[in-house]
Amino acid sequence: MADMNQASDGAAVILAVAAGEEGALHQLYQAQASRLFGIAMGILRDRDAAADALHDTMLKVSARAAQFDPTRGEAGAWLTGIIRHAALDLARARGREVPTDNPMLGDSLVHPEALERIAAAQQSARLRDCLAALETRNREGIVLAFVHGFSHAQIAARLELPLGTVKAWIRRGLIRLKGCLS
Amino acid sequence: MIPSDPEELDLLAAEHVLGTLDARQTEEVRRALPVNAVLRAAVEAWEARLVPMAGLALPEAPPPELWGRIETSLAARVPAAVRPLRRERFWKIWSVGATVVAAGLAAFLVFRPAEPPRMMTVLLTGSEQPAWLVEAEGGGLRLASLNARPVEAGRVQQLWALPPGATAPVSLGLIPAGASRANVAPGLVQPQAGMLIEITLEPPGGSPTGRPTGPILFIGRLARAGQS
Protein backbone atom coordinates (compact mmCIF):
# COMPACT_ATOMS: atom_id res chain seq x y z
CA MET A 1 0.00 0.00 0.00
CA ALA A 2 2.77 2.42 0.96
CA ASP A 3 4.53 1.44 -2.26
CA MET A 4 1.51 2.32 -4.33
CA ASN A 5 1.03 5.71 -2.72
CA GLN A 6 4.66 6.51 -3.23
CA ALA A 7 4.45 5.48 -6.87
CA SER A 8 1.44 7.64 -7.68
CA ASP A 9 2.97 10.63 -5.83
CA GLY A 10 6.12 10.22 -7.92
CA ALA A 11 4.07 10.21 -11.11
CA ALA A 12 2.13 13.30 -9.99
CA VAL A 13 5.35 15.22 -9.36
CA ILE A 14 6.79 14.31 -12.76
CA LEU A 15 3.54 15.42 -14.41
CA ALA A 16 3.83 18.68 -12.46
CA VAL A 17 7.37 19.09 -13.80
CA ALA A 18 6.05 18.46 -17.31
CA ALA A 19 3.38 21.10 -16.78
CA GLY A 20 6.08 23.60 -15.77
CA GLU A 21 4.86 24.00 -12.19
CA GLU A 22 7.18 26.09 -10.10
CA GLY A 23 9.12 24.07 -7.53
CA ALA A 24 8.04 20.67 -8.88
CA LEU A 25 11.54 19.68 -9.96
CA HIS A 26 12.97 20.63 -6.58
CA GLN A 27 10.28 18.59 -4.87
CA LEU A 28 11.20 15.62 -7.05
CA TYR A 29 14.89 16.16 -6.27
CA GLN A 30 14.26 16.23 -2.54
CA ALA A 31 12.24 13.04 -2.70
CA GLN A 32 14.56 11.07 -4.98
CA ALA A 33 18.10 12.52 -4.80
CA SER A 34 19.52 10.13 -2.16
CA ARG A 35 18.14 7.04 -3.86
CA LEU A 36 19.32 8.15 -7.32
CA PHE A 37 22.72 9.31 -6.03
CA GLY A 38 23.14 5.88 -4.39
CA ILE A 39 22.42 4.16 -7.70
CA ALA A 40 25.00 6.37 -9.48
CA MET A 41 27.53 5.73 -6.67
CA GLY A 42 27.02 1.98 -7.12
CA ILE A 43 28.05 2.33 -10.74
CA LEU A 44 30.72 5.05 -10.49
CA ARG A 45 32.09 4.75 -6.90
CA ASP A 46 33.15 8.40 -7.11
CA ARG A 47 31.10 11.22 -5.55
CA ASP A 48 32.10 13.85 -8.13
CA ALA A 49 31.16 11.60 -11.04
CA ALA A 50 27.94 10.48 -9.34
CA ALA A 51 27.05 14.16 -8.78
CA ASP A 52 27.60 14.79 -12.52
CA ALA A 53 25.27 11.86 -13.31
CA LEU A 54 22.56 13.20 -10.99
CA HIS A 55 23.00 16.71 -12.39
CA ASP A 56 22.51 15.46 -15.94
CA THR A 57 19.59 13.31 -14.86
CA MET A 58 17.71 16.27 -13.38
CA LEU A 59 18.31 18.30 -16.56
CA LYS A 60 16.97 15.43 -18.65
CA VAL A 61 13.96 15.03 -16.38
CA SER A 62 13.25 18.75 -16.69
CA ALA A 63 13.44 18.62 -20.48
CA ARG A 64 11.65 15.31 -20.98
CA ALA A 65 9.12 15.05 -18.17
CA ALA A 66 6.38 15.25 -20.81
CA GLN A 67 7.72 11.97 -22.21
CA PHE A 68 6.88 10.15 -18.98
CA ASP A 69 3.73 8.09 -19.39
CA PRO A 70 2.37 6.87 -16.03
CA THR A 71 0.35 4.15 -17.78
CA ARG A 72 3.55 2.53 -19.10
CA GLY A 73 5.64 2.39 -15.98
CA GLU A 74 6.25 3.63 -12.50
CA ALA A 75 7.88 7.01 -11.85
CA GLY A 76 10.71 5.59 -9.75
CA ALA A 77 11.58 3.07 -12.47
CA TRP A 78 11.61 5.80 -15.11
CA LEU A 79 14.03 7.88 -13.03
CA THR A 80 16.16 4.81 -12.27
CA GLY A 81 16.54 4.12 -15.98
CA ILE A 82 17.63 7.68 -16.68
CA ILE A 83 20.27 7.84 -13.95
CA ARG A 84 21.60 4.36 -14.69
CA HIS A 85 22.18 5.24 -18.34
CA ALA A 86 23.73 8.61 -17.39
CA ALA A 87 26.08 6.86 -14.93
CA LEU A 88 26.90 4.05 -17.38
CA ASP A 89 27.77 6.65 -20.05
CA LEU A 90 30.21 8.27 -17.61
CA ALA A 91 31.66 4.87 -16.67
CA ARG A 92 32.19 4.09 -20.36
CA ALA A 93 33.78 7.49 -20.96
CA ARG A 94 36.16 6.72 -18.08
CA GLY A 95 37.38 3.64 -19.91
CA ARG A 96 35.67 0.81 -18.07
CA GLU A 97 36.15 -1.55 -21.03
CA VAL A 98 39.82 -1.77 -20.11
CA PRO A 99 40.28 -4.79 -17.83
CA THR A 100 41.62 -3.75 -14.48
CA ASP A 101 42.83 -5.47 -11.38
CA ASN A 102 42.63 -2.24 -9.42
CA PRO A 103 42.18 -3.53 -5.87
CA MET A 104 40.16 -0.40 -4.96
CA LEU A 105 37.42 -1.58 -7.26
CA GLY A 106 36.31 -4.19 -4.77
CA ASP A 107 36.03 -1.86 -1.80
CA SER A 108 32.43 -0.82 -1.77
CA LEU A 109 30.70 -3.52 -3.77
CA VAL A 110 27.31 -4.77 -2.72
CA HIS A 111 27.50 -8.32 -1.57
CA PRO A 112 25.65 -10.21 -4.30
CA GLU A 113 23.90 -12.25 -1.62
CA ALA A 114 22.37 -9.13 -0.09
CA LEU A 115 19.22 -9.78 -2.08
CA GLU A 116 16.91 -9.05 0.83
CA ARG A 117 17.53 -5.37 0.12
CA ILE A 118 15.49 -5.68 -3.04
CA ALA A 119 12.17 -4.17 -2.04
CA ALA A 120 9.37 -6.41 -0.87
CA ALA A 121 6.89 -5.26 -3.55
CA GLN A 122 5.47 -8.19 -5.48
CA GLN A 123 7.38 -7.58 -8.72
CA SER A 124 10.60 -7.17 -6.73
CA ALA A 125 10.09 -10.29 -4.67
CA ARG A 126 9.75 -12.32 -7.85
CA LEU A 127 12.99 -10.93 -9.24
CA ARG A 128 14.71 -11.66 -5.92
CA ASP A 129 13.51 -15.26 -5.95
CA CYS A 130 14.50 -15.72 -9.59
CA LEU A 131 17.96 -14.24 -8.97
CA ALA A 132 18.35 -16.53 -5.98
CA ALA A 133 17.56 -19.52 -8.20
CA LEU A 134 20.47 -18.73 -10.57
CA GLU A 135 23.90 -20.31 -10.27
CA THR A 136 26.06 -18.20 -7.95
CA ARG A 137 28.44 -16.91 -10.64
CA ASN A 138 25.58 -16.12 -13.03
CA ARG A 139 23.94 -14.10 -10.30
CA GLU A 140 27.19 -12.38 -9.33
CA GLY A 141 27.87 -11.37 -12.91
CA ILE A 142 24.37 -9.93 -13.37
CA VAL A 143 24.47 -8.00 -10.08
CA LEU A 144 27.99 -6.65 -10.78
CA ALA A 145 26.83 -5.43 -14.18
CA PHE A 146 23.51 -3.91 -13.11
CA VAL A 147 24.40 -2.45 -9.72
CA HIS A 148 28.08 -1.65 -10.28
CA GLY A 149 28.22 -0.96 -14.01
CA PHE A 150 30.88 -3.61 -14.57
CA SER A 151 31.82 -4.36 -18.16
CA HIS A 152 32.19 -7.95 -19.34
CA ALA A 153 35.98 -7.50 -19.05
CA GLN A 154 35.74 -6.28 -15.44
CA ILE A 155 33.39 -9.12 -14.48
CA ALA A 156 35.76 -11.62 -16.08
CA ALA A 157 38.69 -10.17 -14.11
CA ARG A 158 36.77 -10.21 -10.85
CA LEU A 159 35.32 -13.70 -11.19
CA GLU A 160 38.59 -14.98 -12.71
CA LEU A 161 36.88 -16.40 -15.76
CA PRO A 162 37.68 -16.04 -19.48
CA LEU A 163 35.91 -13.10 -21.15
CA GLY A 164 33.98 -15.29 -23.62
CA THR A 165 32.74 -17.51 -20.80
CA VAL A 166 31.45 -14.51 -18.86
CA LYS A 167 29.49 -13.14 -21.84
CA ALA A 168 27.87 -16.52 -22.45
CA TRP A 169 27.11 -17.06 -18.75
CA ILE A 170 25.45 -13.71 -18.36
CA ARG A 171 23.35 -14.26 -21.47
CA ARG A 172 22.32 -17.65 -20.13
CA GLY A 173 21.50 -16.07 -16.77
CA LEU A 174 19.34 -13.44 -18.44
CA ILE A 175 17.44 -16.08 -20.42
CA ARG A 176 16.81 -18.04 -17.19
CA LEU A 177 15.67 -14.89 -15.40
CA LYS A 178 13.21 -14.09 -18.17
CA GLY A 179 11.83 -17.63 -18.08
CA CYS A 180 11.54 -17.56 -14.30
CA LEU A 181 9.77 -14.17 -14.31
CA SER A 182 7.28 -15.01 -17.06
CA MET B 1 23.69 -3.99 -36.50
CA ILE B 2 20.43 -4.65 -34.66
CA PRO B 3 19.70 -8.37 -35.11
CA SER B 4 16.42 -9.35 -36.76
CA ASP B 5 16.38 -12.75 -35.05
CA PRO B 6 13.88 -12.27 -32.18
CA GLU B 7 16.00 -14.09 -29.58
CA GLU B 8 19.18 -12.22 -30.47
CA LEU B 9 17.29 -8.93 -30.46
CA ASP B 10 15.83 -9.72 -27.04
CA LEU B 11 19.30 -10.53 -25.65
CA LEU B 12 20.70 -7.29 -27.08
CA ALA B 13 17.87 -5.41 -25.32
CA ALA B 14 18.65 -7.30 -22.10
CA GLU B 15 22.36 -6.44 -22.29
CA HIS B 16 21.51 -2.81 -23.05
CA VAL B 17 19.41 -2.61 -19.88
CA LEU B 18 21.94 -4.60 -17.85
CA GLY B 19 24.58 -2.12 -18.99
CA THR B 20 27.19 -4.48 -20.41
CA LEU B 21 27.19 -3.12 -23.96
CA ASP B 22 30.15 -0.91 -24.86
CA ALA B 23 29.78 2.71 -25.99
CA ARG B 24 29.54 1.86 -29.69
CA GLN B 25 26.87 -0.84 -29.24
CA THR B 26 24.95 1.39 -26.84
CA GLU B 27 24.94 4.19 -29.40
CA GLU B 28 23.62 1.75 -32.03
CA VAL B 29 20.78 0.67 -29.76
CA ARG B 30 19.90 4.27 -28.87
CA ARG B 31 19.82 5.26 -32.52
CA ALA B 32 17.60 2.28 -33.37
CA LEU B 33 15.13 2.75 -30.50
CA PRO B 34 13.07 5.57 -32.08
CA VAL B 35 12.58 3.61 -35.30
CA ASN B 36 12.46 -0.01 -34.11
CA ALA B 37 9.27 -0.73 -32.17
CA VAL B 38 10.21 -4.38 -31.50
CA LEU B 39 13.50 -3.34 -29.93
CA ARG B 40 11.77 -0.60 -27.96
CA ALA B 41 9.21 -3.03 -26.54
CA ALA B 42 11.99 -5.50 -25.64
CA VAL B 43 14.00 -2.80 -23.85
CA GLU B 44 10.93 -1.62 -21.93
CA ALA B 45 10.16 -5.19 -20.84
CA TRP B 46 13.74 -5.71 -19.63
CA GLU B 47 13.71 -2.37 -17.79
CA ALA B 48 10.59 -3.55 -15.96
CA ARG B 49 12.14 -6.95 -15.18
CA LEU B 50 15.49 -5.74 -13.85
CA VAL B 51 14.68 -2.38 -12.25
CA PRO B 52 14.03 -3.79 -8.73
CA MET B 53 17.73 -4.71 -8.61
CA ALA B 54 18.45 -0.98 -8.26
CA GLY B 55 17.25 -1.45 -4.68
CA LEU B 56 20.59 -3.18 -3.98
CA ALA B 57 22.38 0.19 -4.18
CA LEU B 58 22.43 1.93 -0.81
CA PRO B 59 20.90 5.43 -0.78
CA GLU B 60 23.47 8.15 -0.17
CA ALA B 61 23.00 11.89 0.24
CA PRO B 62 24.45 13.86 -2.69
CA PRO B 63 26.75 16.85 -2.01
CA PRO B 64 24.60 19.67 -0.55
CA GLU B 65 25.73 22.16 -3.19
CA LEU B 66 24.54 19.97 -6.06
CA TRP B 67 21.00 21.39 -6.24
CA GLY B 68 22.40 24.90 -6.66
CA ARG B 69 24.52 23.68 -9.55
CA ILE B 70 21.48 22.01 -11.14
CA GLU B 71 19.48 25.25 -10.87
CA THR B 72 22.31 27.22 -12.48
CA SER B 73 22.51 24.73 -15.34
CA LEU B 74 18.74 24.69 -15.78
CA ALA B 75 18.93 28.43 -16.33
CA ALA B 76 21.70 28.02 -18.88
CA ARG B 77 20.86 24.48 -20.08
CA VAL B 78 24.45 23.28 -20.33
CA PRO B 79 25.02 19.52 -20.02
CA ALA B 80 27.46 18.81 -17.17
CA ALA B 81 29.09 15.53 -18.04
CA VAL B 82 30.70 17.19 -21.01
CA ARG B 83 31.26 20.58 -19.40
CA PRO B 84 34.82 21.45 -20.37
CA LEU B 85 34.65 20.30 -23.98
CA ARG B 86 31.15 21.18 -24.96
CA ARG B 87 30.58 24.55 -23.39
CA GLU B 88 32.31 26.43 -26.16
CA ARG B 89 30.52 24.44 -28.85
CA PHE B 90 27.20 24.89 -27.11
CA TRP B 91 27.54 28.64 -27.07
CA LYS B 92 28.58 28.66 -30.69
CA ILE B 93 25.48 26.71 -31.65
CA TRP B 94 23.38 28.73 -29.25
CA SER B 95 24.63 31.99 -30.75
CA VAL B 96 23.46 30.81 -34.19
CA GLY B 97 20.03 30.04 -32.75
CA ALA B 98 20.01 33.31 -30.84
CA THR B 99 20.89 35.24 -33.98
CA VAL B 100 17.89 33.72 -35.72
CA VAL B 101 15.73 34.62 -32.74
CA ALA B 102 17.12 38.15 -32.81
CA ALA B 103 16.50 38.41 -36.54
CA GLY B 104 12.89 37.33 -36.04
CA LEU B 105 12.51 39.83 -33.25
CA ALA B 106 14.02 42.63 -35.36
CA ALA B 107 11.54 41.93 -38.15
CA PHE B 108 8.74 42.06 -35.60
CA LEU B 109 9.92 45.40 -34.25
CA VAL B 110 10.10 46.90 -37.70
CA PHE B 111 6.81 45.62 -39.08
CA ARG B 112 4.47 45.23 -36.11
CA PRO B 113 5.39 47.65 -33.39
CA ALA B 114 1.90 47.78 -31.84
CA GLU B 115 1.31 44.11 -30.87
CA PRO B 116 1.70 42.74 -27.33
CA PRO B 117 4.98 40.98 -26.41
CA ARG B 118 5.61 38.06 -28.72
CA MET B 119 6.00 34.53 -27.42
CA MET B 120 8.63 32.26 -28.86
CA THR B 121 10.90 29.34 -28.14
CA VAL B 122 13.64 27.35 -29.78
CA LEU B 123 12.95 23.59 -29.84
CA LEU B 124 16.11 21.73 -28.87
CA THR B 125 17.25 18.21 -29.72
CA GLY B 126 18.13 15.68 -27.01
CA SER B 127 21.70 16.95 -27.25
CA GLU B 128 20.52 20.53 -26.72
CA GLN B 129 20.96 21.68 -30.30
CA PRO B 130 18.48 24.18 -31.76
CA ALA B 131 16.18 22.54 -34.32
CA TRP B 132 13.08 24.72 -34.78
CA LEU B 133 12.21 28.31 -34.01
CA VAL B 134 8.59 28.59 -32.85
CA GLU B 135 6.79 31.92 -32.66
CA ALA B 136 3.23 32.64 -31.56
CA GLU B 137 1.61 34.52 -34.41
CA GLY B 138 -1.92 35.88 -34.61
CA GLY B 139 -3.29 33.25 -32.18
CA GLY B 140 -1.51 30.41 -34.00
CA LEU B 141 2.09 29.25 -34.21
CA ARG B 142 4.71 29.69 -36.87
CA LEU B 143 7.63 27.28 -37.10
CA ALA B 144 10.90 27.64 -38.97
CA SER B 145 13.53 24.92 -39.19
CA LEU B 146 16.96 26.03 -37.96
CA ASN B 147 18.86 22.94 -38.90
CA ALA B 148 16.83 20.67 -41.21
CA ARG B 149 17.52 16.98 -40.87
CA PRO B 150 15.89 13.97 -42.52
CA VAL B 151 13.29 11.89 -40.67
CA GLU B 152 13.70 8.10 -40.57
CA ALA B 153 11.94 6.42 -43.48
CA GLY B 154 8.36 5.38 -42.75
CA ARG B 155 7.97 7.85 -39.87
CA VAL B 156 6.41 11.26 -39.54
CA GLN B 157 6.97 14.21 -37.22
CA GLN B 158 3.98 15.25 -35.13
CA LEU B 159 3.71 18.57 -33.33
CA TRP B 160 2.18 18.79 -29.84
CA ALA B 161 1.43 21.47 -27.27
CA LEU B 162 1.10 20.99 -23.53
CA PRO B 163 -0.42 24.05 -21.82
CA PRO B 164 0.78 24.79 -18.27
CA GLY B 165 -1.20 22.69 -15.81
CA ALA B 166 -2.49 20.26 -18.46
CA THR B 167 -1.61 16.59 -18.15
CA ALA B 168 -2.06 15.52 -21.77
CA PRO B 169 -0.56 17.21 -24.82
CA VAL B 170 -2.79 18.33 -27.69
CA SER B 171 -1.86 17.33 -31.24
CA LEU B 172 -1.27 20.28 -33.53
CA GLY B 173 -0.84 18.13 -36.62
CA LEU B 174 1.93 16.59 -38.69
CA ILE B 175 4.93 18.43 -40.07
CA PRO B 176 5.06 17.79 -43.83
CA ALA B 177 8.13 15.73 -44.86
CA GLY B 178 11.05 17.94 -45.77
CA ALA B 179 9.25 21.13 -44.74
CA SER B 180 11.44 23.89 -43.36
CA ARG B 181 8.45 25.99 -42.33
CA ALA B 182 5.08 25.13 -40.83
CA ASN B 183 2.09 27.03 -39.49
CA VAL B 184 -0.49 26.10 -36.90
CA ALA B 185 -3.80 27.80 -37.54
CA PRO B 186 -5.32 29.93 -34.75
CA GLY B 187 -7.98 28.12 -32.73
CA LEU B 188 -6.24 24.74 -32.41
CA VAL B 189 -4.38 25.96 -29.40
CA GLN B 190 -4.10 29.15 -27.39
CA PRO B 191 -0.38 29.97 -27.23
CA GLN B 192 0.62 30.98 -23.72
CA ALA B 193 3.81 31.49 -21.74
CA GLY B 194 5.04 28.24 -20.17
CA MET B 195 3.39 26.06 -22.81
CA LEU B 196 5.56 23.11 -23.85
CA ILE B 197 5.91 22.60 -27.59
CA GLU B 198 7.31 19.29 -28.77
CA ILE B 199 7.78 17.24 -31.91
CA THR B 200 7.63 13.44 -31.62
CA LEU B 201 8.39 10.67 -34.08
CA GLU B 202 5.20 8.81 -34.97
CA PRO B 203 3.95 6.15 -37.40
CA PRO B 204 2.58 7.27 -40.79
CA GLY B 205 -0.60 9.28 -40.34
CA GLY B 206 0.39 10.31 -36.85
CA SER B 207 -0.09 8.84 -33.39
CA PRO B 208 -2.90 6.27 -33.43
CA THR B 209 -3.77 7.00 -29.79
CA GLY B 210 -4.05 10.79 -29.85
CA ARG B 211 -1.15 10.91 -27.39
CA PRO B 212 2.55 10.90 -28.26
CA THR B 213 3.68 7.29 -28.73
CA GLY B 214 7.18 7.83 -30.13
CA PRO B 215 10.24 9.55 -28.70
CA ILE B 216 10.47 13.32 -28.39
CA LEU B 217 12.74 14.68 -31.10
CA PHE B 218 12.60 18.37 -30.21
CA ILE B 219 11.16 20.26 -27.27
CA GLY B 220 10.95 23.80 -25.94
CA ARG B 221 8.82 26.03 -23.74
CA LEU B 222 7.09 29.18 -24.99
CA ALA B 223 8.24 32.34 -23.25
CA ARG B 224 7.60 36.03 -23.80
CA ALA B 225 10.47 37.36 -25.86
CA GLY B 226 12.74 39.45 -23.68
CA GLN B 227 11.62 37.81 -20.45
CA SER B 228 13.17 34.36 -20.53
Side-chain angles (χ1 to χ4, degrees):
Chain A
M1 217 42 206
D3 267 5
M4 280 183 65
N5 287 334
Q6 220 177 354
S8 53
D9 284 357
V13 178
I14 293 174
L15 292 174
V17 172
E21 270 176 41
E22 185 109 26
L25 194 71
H26 191 223
Q27 198 188 333
L28 184 69
Y29 182 83
Q30 284 179 318
Q32 296 277 347
S34 294
R35 186 179 74 83
L36 297 176
F37 190 73
I39 291 170
M41 276 299 287
I43 291 172
L44 291 159
R45 293 174 294 282
D46 171 341
R47 283 182 62 87
D48 287 343
D52 279 352
L54 182 53
H55 171 280
D56 288 2
T57 296
M58 295 314 289
L59 258 60
K60 274 196 184 126
V61 167
S62 153
R64 297 183 200 160
Q67 230 172 341
F68 170 68
D69 180 351
T71 63
R72 289 168 81 174
E74 195 235 314
W78 186 70
L79 294 167
T80 300
I82 295 176
I83 195 142
R84 283 192 66 249
H85 286 295
L88 286 166
D89 283 346
L90 289 175
R92 289 184 187 107
R94 288 148 65 100
R96 67 159 195 176
E97 308 305 332
V98 181
T100 173
D101 49 6
N102 177 1
M104 294 298 289
L105 212 54
D107 271 5
S108 51
L109 298 183
V110 155
H111 196 274
E113 304 302 325
L115 294 180
E116 68 274 13
R117 275 222 296 284
I118 295 182
Q122 195 183 6
Q123 181 72 9
S124 311
R126 284 185 63 206
L127 178 68
R128 187 184 54 207
D129 295 346
C130 290
L131 277 169
L134 293 179
E135 272 177 64
T136 309
R137 280 185 174 178
N138 267 348
R139 177 171 59 246
E140 279 184 6
I142 286 172
V143 170
L144 285 171
F146 191 92
V147 180
H148 293 304
F150 272 35
S151 64
H152 282 134
Q154 289 171 330
I155 297 168
R158 181 161 181 90
L159 300 185
E160 296 176 343
L161 289 166
L163 185 57
T165 310
V166 162
K167 281 187 194 174
W169 275 36
I170 288 182
R171 286 190 144 210
R172 212 178 318 149
L174 288 166
I175 292 169
R176 290 232 176 93
L177 265 189
K178 185 184 176 186
C180 174
L181 286 167
S182 65
Chain B
M1 262 300 276
I2 307 297
S4 50
D5 176 73
E7 277 172 27
E8 281 296 314
L9 179 139
D10 194 55
L11 278 170
L12 182 73
E15 289 180 315
H16 174 67
V17 173
L18 188 62
T20 48
L21 298 184
D22 64 25
R24 188 187 53 78
Q25 295 166 310
T26 301
E27 194 46 42
E28 255 182 61
V29 170
R30 283 187 189 152
R31 247 187 320 214
L33 279 175
V35 291
N36 188 331
V38 182
L39 181 66
R40 206 160 55 234
V43 165
E44 278 179 14
W46 275 106
E47 294 273 10
R49 279 183 200 112
L50 298 184
V51 76
M53 240 195 295
L56 284 172
L58 290 174
E60 180 173 335
E65 69 278 7
L66 181 60
W67 174 252
R69 207 182 116 204
I70 291 168
E71 275 191 312
T72 307
S73 301
L74 280 170
R77 300 227 50 98
V78 181
V82 281
R83 250 167 310 148
L85 278 176
R86 272 243 199 112
R87 183 160 274 183
E88 201 196 329
R89 232 180 82 213
F90 175 84
W91 287 115
K92 233 180 252 169
I93 294 162
W94 181 253
S95 67
V96 174
T99 306
V100 178
V101 173
L105 192 60
F108 157 64
L109 288 173
V110 172
F111 299 119
R112 296 179 178 232
E115 284 195 8
R118 173 162 298 199
M119 280 178 293
M120 55 176 60
T121 184
V122 175
L123 305 188
L124 301 177
T125 66
S127 50
E128 319 288 336
Q129 300 198 7
W132 288 87
L133 173 69
V134 181
E135 291 175 282
E137 160 89 11
L141 294 171
R142 200 171 62 186
L143 283 81
S145 167
L146 298 176
N147 184 8
R149 62 202 85 204
V151 186
E152 283 85 349
R155 292 293 192 123
V156 300
Q157 298 187 77
Q158 189 162 2
L159 182 68
W160 307 85
L162 183 74
T167 51
V170 182
S171 172
L172 303 180
L174 305 181
I175 299 195
S180 61
R181 296 186 165 275
N183 289 300
V184 176
L188 255 181
V189 66
Q190 183 77 47
Q192 51 183 302
M195 175 181 271
L196 270 181
I197 308 286
E198 62 189 48
I199 294 176
T200 62
L201 195 63
E202 300 292 344
S207 162
T209 65
R211 290 261 208 138
T213 60
I216 294 181
L217 299 174
F218 316 113
I219 189 161
R221 195 185 289 283
L222 273 186
R224 285 197 183 81
Q227 290 189 3
S228 62

